[in-house]
Coordinates of all heavy atoms in Angstrom, one line a residue:
M1 N 0.9 -1.2 0.0 CA 0.0 0.0 0.0 C 0.9 1.2 0.0 O 1.7 1.4 0.9 CB -0.9 0.0 1.2 CG -2.1 0.7 1.1 SD -3.3 0.5 2.5 CE -3.1 -1.2 3.0
S2 N 0.8 2.0 -1.0 CA 1.7 3.2 -1.1 C 1.2 4.4 -0.4 O 2.0 5.1 0.3 CB 1.9 3.5 -2.6 OG 0.7 3.8 -3.2
A3 N 0.0 4.7 -0.4 CA -0.6 5.9 0.3 C -1.2 5.4 1.6 O -1.7 4.3 1.7 CB -1.6 6.6 -0.5
P4 N -1.1 6.2 2.7 CA -1.7 5.8 3.9 C -3.2 5.8 3.8 O -3.8 6.6 3.1 CB -1.3 6.9 4.9 CG -0.8 8.1 4.1 CD -0.4 7.5 2.7
E5 N -3.8 4.8 4.4 CA -5.3 4.7 4.4 C -5.9 5.8 5.2 O -5.5 6.2 6.2 CB -5.7 3.4 5.0 CG -5.4 2.2 4.2 CD -5.9 0.9 4.7 OE1 -7.0 0.9 5.3 OE2 -5.3 -0.1 4.5
Q6 N -7.0 6.4 4.6 CA -7.7 7.4 5.3 C -8.8 6.8 6.1 O -9.5 5.9 5.6 CB -8.3 8.4 4.3 CG -9.1 9.5 4.9 CD -9.5 10.6 3.9 OE1 -9.2 10.5 2.8 NE2 -10.4 11.5 4.3
Q7 N -8.9 7.2 7.3 CA -9.9 6.7 8.2 C -11.2 7.6 8.1 O -11.1 8.8 8.1 CB -9.4 6.7 9.7 CG -8.3 5.8 9.9 CD -8.6 4.3 9.8 OE1 -9.6 3.9 10.3 NE2 -7.8 3.6 9.2
V8 N -12.3 6.9 8.0 CA -13.6 7.7 7.8 C -14.5 7.1 8.9 O -14.8 5.9 8.9 CB -14.2 7.5 6.4 CG1 -15.5 8.2 6.3 CG2 -13.2 8.0 5.4
A9 N -15.1 8.0 9.7 CA -16.0 7.6 10.7 C -17.3 7.0 10.1 O -17.8 7.5 9.1 CB -16.4 8.7 11.6
S10 N -17.8 5.9 10.6 CA -18.9 5.2 9.9 C -20.2 6.0 10.0 O -21.0 5.9 9.1 CB -19.2 3.8 10.6 OG -19.5 4.0 11.9
E11 N -20.3 6.9 11.0 CA -21.4 7.8 11.0 C -21.2 9.1 10.3 O -22.2 9.9 10.2 CB -21.8 8.0 12.5 CG -20.9 9.0 13.2 CD -19.7 8.4 13.8 OE1 -19.3 7.2 13.5 OE2 -19.0 9.1 14.6
G12 N -20.1 9.3 9.7 CA -19.8 10.6 9.0 C -20.4 10.6 7.7 O -20.6 9.6 7.0
D13 N -20.7 11.8 7.2 CA -21.3 12.0 5.9 C -20.3 11.7 4.8 O -20.7 11.4 3.6 CB -21.8 13.4 5.7 CG -23.0 13.6 6.6 OD1 -23.7 12.7 7.0 OD2 -23.2 14.8 7.0
S14 N -19.0 11.6 5.0 CA -18.0 11.3 4.0 C -17.7 9.8 4.0 O -16.7 9.3 3.4 CB -16.7 12.0 4.3 OG -16.2 11.7 5.5
R15 N -18.6 8.9 4.5 CA -18.4 7.5 4.6 C -18.3 6.8 3.3 O -18.0 5.6 3.2 CB -19.4 6.8 5.5 CG -20.8 6.8 5.0 CD -21.7 6.4 6.1 NE -23.1 6.2 5.6 CZ -23.9 7.1 5.4 NH1 -23.6 8.4 5.6 NH2 -25.1 6.9 4.9
T16 N -18.6 7.4 2.2 CA -18.5 6.8 0.8 C -17.1 6.7 0.3 O -16.8 6.1 -0.6 CB -19.4 7.5 -0.2 OG1 -18.9 8.9 -0.3 CG2 -20.8 7.5 0.2
F17 N -16.2 7.4 1.0 CA -14.8 7.5 0.5 C -14.1 6.2 0.2 O -13.5 6.0 -0.8 CB -13.9 8.3 1.6 CG -12.5 8.3 1.3 CD1 -12.0 9.1 0.3 CD2 -11.6 7.4 1.9 CE1 -10.6 9.1 0.0 CE2 -10.3 7.4 1.6 CZ -9.8 8.2 0.6
N18 N -14.3 5.2 1.1 CA -13.6 4.0 0.9 C -14.5 2.8 0.6 O -14.2 1.7 0.9 CB -12.7 3.6 2.2 CG -13.6 3.5 3.4 OD1 -14.8 3.7 3.4 ND2 -13.0 3.2 4.5
N19 N -15.7 3.1 0.0 CA -16.6 2.0 -0.3 C -16.7 1.8 -1.8 O -17.2 2.7 -2.5 CB -18.0 2.4 0.3 CG -18.9 1.2 0.2 OD1 -18.9 0.5 -0.8 ND2 -19.8 1.0 1.2
A20 N -16.3 0.7 -2.3 CA -16.3 0.4 -3.7 C -17.6 -0.2 -4.2 O -17.7 -0.3 -5.4 CB -15.1 -0.5 -4.1
V21 N -18.5 -0.5 -3.3 CA -19.7 -1.2 -3.8 C -20.9 -0.2 -3.8 O -21.5 -0.1 -4.9 CB -20.0 -2.4 -2.8 CG1 -21.3 -3.0 -3.2 CG2 -18.9 -3.4 -2.8
R22 N -21.2 0.4 -2.7 CA -22.3 1.3 -2.7 C -21.8 2.7 -3.1 O -21.0 3.3 -2.4 CB -23.0 1.4 -1.3 CG -24.3 2.1 -1.4 CD -24.9 2.3 0.0 NE -25.3 1.0 0.6 CZ -26.0 1.0 1.8 NH1 -26.3 2.2 2.4 NH2 -26.3 -0.1 2.3
H23 N -22.2 3.2 -4.2 CA -21.7 4.5 -4.7 C -22.5 5.7 -4.3 O -22.0 6.8 -4.4 CB -21.6 4.4 -6.3 CG -20.7 3.4 -6.7 ND1 -19.3 3.5 -6.6 CD2 -20.9 2.2 -7.3 CE1 -18.7 2.4 -7.1 NE2 -19.7 1.6 -7.5
Q24 N -23.7 5.5 -3.8 CA -24.4 6.7 -3.3 C -25.1 6.3 -2.0 O -25.6 5.2 -1.8 CB -25.5 7.0 -4.3 CG -25.0 7.6 -5.6 CD -26.1 8.0 -6.5 OE1 -27.3 7.7 -6.3 NE2 -25.8 8.7 -7.6
Y25 N -25.0 7.3 -1.1 CA -25.6 7.1 0.2 C -26.6 8.3 0.4 O -26.3 9.4 -0.1 CB -24.5 7.2 1.3 CG -23.7 6.0 1.5 CD1 -22.6 5.8 0.7 CD2 -24.0 5.1 2.5 CE1 -21.8 4.7 0.8 CE2 -23.2 3.9 2.6 CZ -22.1 3.7 1.8 OH -21.3 2.7 2.0
R26 N -27.6 8.1 1.2 CA -28.4 9.2 1.6 C -27.8 9.7 2.9 O -27.1 9.0 3.6 CB -29.8 8.8 1.8 CG -30.1 7.8 3.0 CD -31.5 7.4 3.1 NE -31.7 6.5 4.2 CZ -31.8 6.8 5.4 NH1 -31.7 8.1 5.8 NH2 -31.9 5.9 6.4
V27 N -28.0 11.0 3.1 CA -27.5 11.6 4.4 C -28.4 11.1 5.5 O -29.6 11.2 5.4 CB -27.5 13.2 4.2 CG1 -27.1 13.8 5.6 CG2 -26.6 13.6 3.1
L28 N -27.7 10.7 6.6 CA -28.4 10.2 7.7 C -28.8 11.3 8.7 O -28.0 12.3 8.8 CB -27.6 9.1 8.5 CG -27.2 7.9 7.7 CD1 -26.3 7.0 8.6 CD2 -28.4 7.1 7.2
S29 N -29.9 11.2 9.4 CA -30.2 12.2 10.4 C -29.3 11.9 11.6 O -28.7 10.9 11.7 CB -31.7 12.0 10.8 OG -31.9 10.8 11.5
D30 N -29.3 12.9 12.5 CA -28.5 12.7 13.7 C -29.0 11.5 14.5 O -28.2 10.8 15.1 CB -28.5 14.0 14.6 CG -27.7 15.1 13.9 OD1 -26.9 14.8 13.1 OD2 -27.9 16.3 14.3
E31 N -30.3 11.3 14.5 CA -30.8 10.2 15.3 C -30.4 8.8 14.6 O -30.0 7.9 15.3 CB -32.4 10.2 15.3 CG -33.0 9.1 16.0 CD -34.5 9.1 16.0 OE1 -35.1 10.1 15.5 OE2 -35.1 8.1 16.5
E32 N -30.4 8.8 13.3 CA -30.0 7.6 12.6 C -28.5 7.3 12.8 O -28.0 6.2 13.0 CB -30.2 7.7 11.1 CG -31.7 7.6 10.8 CD -32.0 7.9 9.3 OE1 -31.4 8.9 8.8 OE2 -32.9 7.3 8.8
K33 N -27.7 8.4 12.8 CA -26.3 8.2 13.1 C -26.0 7.7 14.5 O -25.2 6.8 14.7 CB -25.5 9.6 13.0 CG -25.4 10.0 11.5 CD -24.8 11.4 11.5 CE -24.8 12.0 10.1 NZ -24.3 13.3 10.0
A34 N -26.8 8.2 15.5 CA -26.7 7.7 16.9 C -27.1 6.2 16.9 O -26.5 5.4 17.7 CB -27.5 8.6 17.8
Q35 N -28.2 5.9 16.2 CA -28.6 4.5 16.2 C -27.6 3.5 15.6 O -27.3 2.4 16.1 CB -29.9 4.3 15.4 CG -31.1 5.0 16.1 CD -32.3 5.0 15.2 OE1 -32.2 5.1 14.0 NE2 -33.5 5.1 15.8
M36 N -26.9 4.0 14.6 CA -25.9 3.2 13.9 C -24.7 3.0 14.9 O -24.2 1.9 15.0 CB -25.4 3.8 12.6 CG -24.3 3.0 11.9 SD -23.9 3.5 10.3 CE -23.5 5.2 10.6
V37 N -24.3 4.0 15.6 CA -23.2 3.9 16.5 C -23.6 3.0 17.7 O -22.8 2.1 18.1 CB -22.8 5.3 17.1 CG1 -21.9 5.2 18.3 CG2 -22.2 6.1 16.0
R38 N -24.8 3.1 18.1 CA -25.3 2.2 19.2 C -25.3 0.7 18.8 O -24.9 -0.2 19.5 CB -26.7 2.6 19.6 CG -27.4 1.7 20.7 CD -26.8 2.0 22.0 NE -27.6 1.2 23.0 CZ -27.0 0.5 24.0 NH1 -25.7 0.5 24.1 NH2 -27.7 -0.1 24.8
I39 N -25.8 0.4 17.5 CA -25.8 -0.9 17.0 C -24.3 -1.5 17.0 O -24.0 -2.6 17.4 CB -26.4 -1.0 15.6 CG1 -27.9 -0.8 15.7 CG2 -26.1 -2.3 14.9 CD1 -28.5 -0.5 14.3
K40 N -23.4 -0.7 16.5 CA -22.0 -1.1 16.4 C -21.4 -1.3 17.8 O -20.6 -2.2 18.0 CB -21.2 -0.1 15.5 CG -21.6 -0.2 14.1 CD -20.8 0.7 13.2 CE -21.1 0.5 11.8 NZ -20.2 1.2 10.9
D41 N -21.7 -0.4 18.7 CA -21.2 -0.5 20.1 C -21.7 -1.8 20.7 O -20.9 -2.5 21.4 CB -21.6 0.7 20.9 CG -20.8 2.0 20.6 OD1 -19.8 1.9 19.8 OD2 -21.2 3.1 21.0
L42 N -23.0 -2.1 20.6 CA -23.5 -3.3 21.1 C -22.9 -4.6 20.5 O -22.5 -5.5 21.2 CB -25.0 -3.4 20.9 CG -25.9 -2.4 21.8 CD1 -27.3 -2.4 21.2 CD2 -25.8 -2.9 23.2
G43 N -22.6 -4.5 19.2 CA -22.0 -5.6 18.5 C -20.5 -5.8 19.1 O -20.1 -6.9 19.4
A44 N -19.8 -4.7 19.2 CA -18.5 -4.8 19.8 C -18.4 -5.3 21.2 O -17.6 -6.1 21.6 CB -17.8 -3.4 19.7
E45 N -19.4 -4.9 22.0 CA -19.5 -5.4 23.4 C -19.8 -6.9 23.4 O -19.2 -7.6 24.2 CB -20.7 -4.6 24.1 CG -20.8 -5.0 25.5 CD -21.9 -4.2 26.2 OE1 -22.3 -3.1 25.7 OE2 -22.3 -4.6 27.3
F46 N -20.7 -7.3 22.5 CA -21.0 -8.8 22.4 C -19.7 -9.6 22.0 O -19.4 -10.6 22.5 CB -22.1 -9.0 21.5 CG -22.8 -10.3 21.6 CD1 -22.5 -11.3 22.5 CD2 -23.8 -10.6 20.7 CE1 -23.1 -12.5 22.6 CE2 -24.5 -11.9 20.8 CZ -24.1 -12.8 21.7
L47 N -19.0 -9.0 21.0 CA -17.8 -9.7 20.5 C -16.7 -9.8 21.6 O -16.1 -10.8 21.8 CB -17.2 -9.0 19.3 CG -18.0 -9.1 18.0 CD1 -17.4 -8.1 17.0 CD2 -18.0 -10.5 17.5
T48 N -16.6 -8.8 22.4 CA -15.7 -8.8 23.5 C -16.1 -9.8 24.6 O -15.2 -10.6 25.1 CB -15.6 -7.4 24.2 OG1 -15.1 -6.4 23.2 CG2 -14.7 -7.4 25.4
A49 N -17.4 -10.0 24.8 CA -17.9 -11.0 25.8 C -17.6 -12.4 25.2 O -17.1 -13.2 26.0 CB -19.4 -10.8 26.0
I50 N -17.7 -12.6 24.0 CA -17.4 -13.9 23.4 C -16.0 -14.2 23.4 O -15.5 -15.3 23.8 CB -18.0 -14.0 21.9 CG1 -19.5 -13.9 21.9 CG2 -17.5 -15.3 21.3 CD1 -20.1 -13.8 20.5
D51 N -15.1 -13.2 23.2 CA -13.7 -13.4 23.3 C -13.3 -13.8 24.6 O -12.3 -14.6 24.8 CB -12.9 -12.0 22.9 CG -12.8 -11.8 21.4 OD1 -12.9 -12.8 20.7 OD2 -12.6 -10.6 21.1
G52 N -14.0 -13.4 25.7 CA -13.6 -13.7 27.0 C -13.9 -15.2 27.4 O -13.6 -15.7 28.4
L53 N -14.6 -15.9 26.5 CA -15.0 -17.2 26.8 C -14.0 -18.3 26.4 O -14.0 -19.4 26.7 CB -16.3 -17.6 26.0 CG -17.6 -16.7 26.4 CD1 -18.7 -17.1 25.5 CD2 -17.9 -17.0 27.9
G54 N -13.0 -17.8 25.6 CA -12.0 -18.7 25.1 C -12.0 -18.9 23.6 O -12.6 -18.0 22.9
A55 N -11.5 -20.0 23.1 CA -11.4 -20.2 21.7 C -12.0 -21.5 21.3 O -11.7 -22.5 21.9 CB -9.9 -20.1 21.2
S56 N -12.9 -21.5 20.3 CA -13.5 -22.7 19.8 C -14.1 -22.4 18.5 O -14.4 -21.3 18.2 CB -14.5 -23.3 20.8 OG -15.7 -22.6 20.8
R57 N -14.4 -23.4 17.8 CA -15.1 -23.3 16.5 C -16.5 -22.6 16.7 O -16.9 -21.7 16.0 CB -15.3 -24.6 15.8 CG -16.0 -24.5 14.4 CD -16.0 -25.8 13.7 NE -16.6 -25.7 12.4 CZ -17.9 -25.7 12.1 NH1 -18.8 -25.8 13.1 NH2 -18.4 -25.5 10.9
E58 N -17.1 -23.0 17.8 CA -18.5 -22.5 18.1 C -18.4 -21.0 18.4 O -19.2 -20.2 17.9 CB -19.1 -23.3 19.3 CG -19.5 -24.7 18.9 CD -18.3 -25.7 19.0 OE1 -17.2 -25.3 19.4 OE2 -18.5 -26.8 18.6
Y59 N -17.4 -20.6 19.2 CA -17.2 -19.2 19.5 C -16.9 -18.4 18.2 O -17.4 -17.3 18.0 CB -16.2 -19.0 20.6 CG -16.5 -19.5 21.9 CD1 -15.6 -20.0 22.8 CD2 -17.9 -19.6 22.3 CE1 -15.9 -20.5 24.0 CE2 -18.2 -20.1 23.6 CZ -17.2 -20.6 24.4 OH -17.5 -21.1 25.6
S60 N -16.1 -19.0 17.4 CA -15.7 -18.3 16.1 C -17.0 -18.1 15.3 O -17.2 -17.0 14.7 CB -14.7 -19.1 15.4 OG -14.4 -18.5 14.2
L61 N -17.8 -19.1 15.2 CA -19.1 -19.0 14.4 C -20.0 -18.0 15.1 O -20.6 -17.2 14.4 CB -19.8 -20.4 14.4 CG -19.2 -21.4 13.5 CD1 -19.8 -22.8 13.7 CD2 -19.3 -21.0 12.0
A62 N -20.1 -18.0 16.4 CA -20.9 -17.0 17.1 C -20.4 -15.5 16.7 O -21.3 -14.7 16.5 CB -20.9 -17.2 18.6
K63 N -19.1 -15.3 16.7 CA -18.6 -14.0 16.4 C -18.9 -13.6 15.0 O -19.3 -12.5 14.7 CB -17.1 -14.0 16.6 CG -16.7 -14.0 18.1 CD -15.2 -14.2 18.4 CE -14.4 -13.2 17.8 NZ -12.9 -13.3 18.1
T64 N -18.8 -14.6 14.1 CA -19.2 -14.3 12.7 C -20.7 -13.9 12.6 O -21.0 -12.9 11.8 CB -18.9 -15.5 11.8 OG1 -17.5 -15.8 11.8 CG2 -19.3 -15.3 10.4
K65 N -21.5 -14.5 13.3 CA -22.9 -14.2 13.3 C -23.2 -12.8 13.9 O -24.1 -12.1 13.4 CB -23.8 -15.3 14.0 CG -23.7 -16.7 13.3 CD -24.1 -16.6 11.9 CE -24.1 -18.0 11.3 NZ -24.5 -18.1 9.9
V66 N -22.5 -12.5 14.9 CA -22.7 -11.1 15.5 C -22.3 -10.1 14.5 O -23.0 -9.1 14.3 CB -21.8 -11.0 16.8 CG1 -21.8 -9.5 17.3 CG2 -22.3 -11.9 17.9
E67 N -21.1 -10.3 13.8 CA -20.7 -9.4 12.8 C -21.7 -9.3 11.7 O -22.0 -8.2 11.2 CB -19.3 -9.8 12.2 CG -18.2 -9.7 13.2 CD -16.9 -10.4 12.8 OE1 -17.0 -11.2 11.8 OE2 -15.9 -10.3 13.4
E68 N -22.3 -10.4 11.3 CA -23.3 -10.4 10.3 C -24.6 -9.6 10.7 O -25.2 -8.9 10.0 CB -23.7 -11.8 9.9 CG -24.7 -11.9 8.8 CD -25.0 -13.4 8.4 OE1 -24.7 -14.3 9.2 OE2 -25.7 -13.6 7.4
A69 N -25.0 -9.9 12.0 CA -26.1 -9.2 12.5 C -25.9 -7.7 12.5 O -26.8 -6.9 12.1 CB -26.5 -9.7 13.9
V70 N -24.8 -7.2 12.9 CA -24.5 -5.8 12.9 C -24.5 -5.3 11.5 O -25.1 -4.2 11.2 CB -23.1 -5.5 13.6 CG1 -22.7 -4.1 13.3 CG2 -23.2 -5.8 15.1
M71 N -23.9 -6.0 10.6 CA -23.9 -5.6 9.2 C -25.3 -5.4 8.6 O -25.6 -4.3 8.0 CB -23.1 -6.6 8.3 CG -23.2 -6.2 6.8 SD -22.9 -7.6 5.7 CE -24.3 -8.6 6.0
W72 N -26.2 -6.3 8.9 CA -27.5 -6.3 8.3 C -28.3 -5.2 9.0 O -29.1 -4.5 8.4 CB -28.2 -7.6 8.4 CG -27.8 -8.6 7.4 CD1 -27.1 -9.8 7.6 CD2 -27.9 -8.4 6.0 NE1 -26.9 -10.4 6.4 CE2 -27.3 -9.6 5.4 CE3 -28.5 -7.5 5.1 CZ2 -27.3 -9.8 4.0 CZ3 -28.5 -7.7 3.8 CH2 -27.9 -8.8 3.2
A73 N -28.1 -5.0 10.3 CA -28.9 -3.9 11.0 C -28.4 -2.6 10.5 O -29.3 -1.7 10.3 CB -28.6 -4.0 12.5
V74 N -27.1 -2.4 10.3 CA -26.7 -1.1 9.7 C -27.1 -0.9 8.3 O -27.6 0.2 7.9 CB -25.1 -1.0 9.9 CG1 -24.6 0.2 9.1 CG2 -24.7 -0.9 11.3
K75 N -27.1 -2.0 7.5 CA -27.6 -1.9 6.1 C -29.1 -1.5 6.1 O -29.5 -0.6 5.3 CB -27.4 -3.2 5.4 CG -27.7 -3.1 3.9 CD -27.3 -4.3 3.2 CE -27.7 -4.3 1.7 NZ -26.9 -3.4 0.9
G76 N -29.9 -2.1 7.0 CA -31.3 -1.7 7.1 C -31.5 -0.3 7.5 O -32.4 0.4 7.0
L77 N -30.7 0.2 8.4 CA -30.8 1.6 8.9 C -30.4 2.6 7.8 O -31.0 3.6 7.7 CB -29.9 1.7 10.1 CG -29.9 3.1 10.8 CD1 -31.3 3.4 11.3 CD2 -28.8 3.1 11.9
T78 N -29.4 2.2 7.0 CA -28.8 3.2 6.1 C -29.4 3.1 4.7 O -29.0 3.9 3.8 CB -27.3 3.1 6.0 OG1 -26.9 1.7 5.5 CG2 -26.6 3.3 7.3
A79 N -30.2 2.1 4.4 CA -30.8 1.9 3.1 C -31.7 3.0 2.6 O -32.2 3.7 3.4 CB -31.6 0.6 3.0

C-alpha cells in the first residue's frame, strides 16, 4: 500500500470515501447516526464478551454471526 489509508467515521457523511460497492448514500439524520453507533457498540460489546469465553469453532461461528447481524442492522438503517 503506497498511500496511507484514510480513516472515515462510519457515522460521518463522508463514509462513501472507501466504499467500492455502494456508490451513493443518503445523508443520515443525527438520530440515525446515533442508532448506527449504538448498534455497532452493542456488537463490539458482544464480541468482547465472546472473546472472554476462550477459543473454539463455536465461538468463532458466534462471532461471525454477531458481525453479520451488525452488518444487516446497519444496512437496514442506512438503506
Side-chain angles (χ1 to χ4, degrees):
M1 206 175 322
S2 58
E5 289 187 30
Q6 181 175 350
Q7 298 289 319
V8 179
S10 62
E11 75 277 9
D13 291 333
S14 62
R15 67 190 187 281
T16 60
F17 172 77
N18 60 358
N19 189 322
V21 178
R22 192 188 291 186
H23 297 289
Q24 293 184 348
Y25 285 82
R26 66 180 180 81
V27 175
L28 301 177
S29 68
D30 288 341
E31 180 181 356
E32 289 169 322
K33 290 175 185 178
Q35 289 170 335
M36 182 171 53
V37 169
R38 178 75 174 135
I39 289 166
K40 290 182 176 191
D41 287 347
L42 287 169
E45 184 178 342
F46 197 5
L47 290 171
T48 299
I50 295 169
D51 279 339
L53 299 174
S56 72
R57 181 175 184 276
E58 292 80 6
Y59 294 148
S60 180
L61 288 169
K63 289 170 59 175
T64 299
K65 297 301 182 181
V66 171
E67 292 166 350
E68 183 180 10
V70 169
M71 177 200 66
W72 283 116
V74 169
K75 185 171 178 72
L77 180 65
T78 62

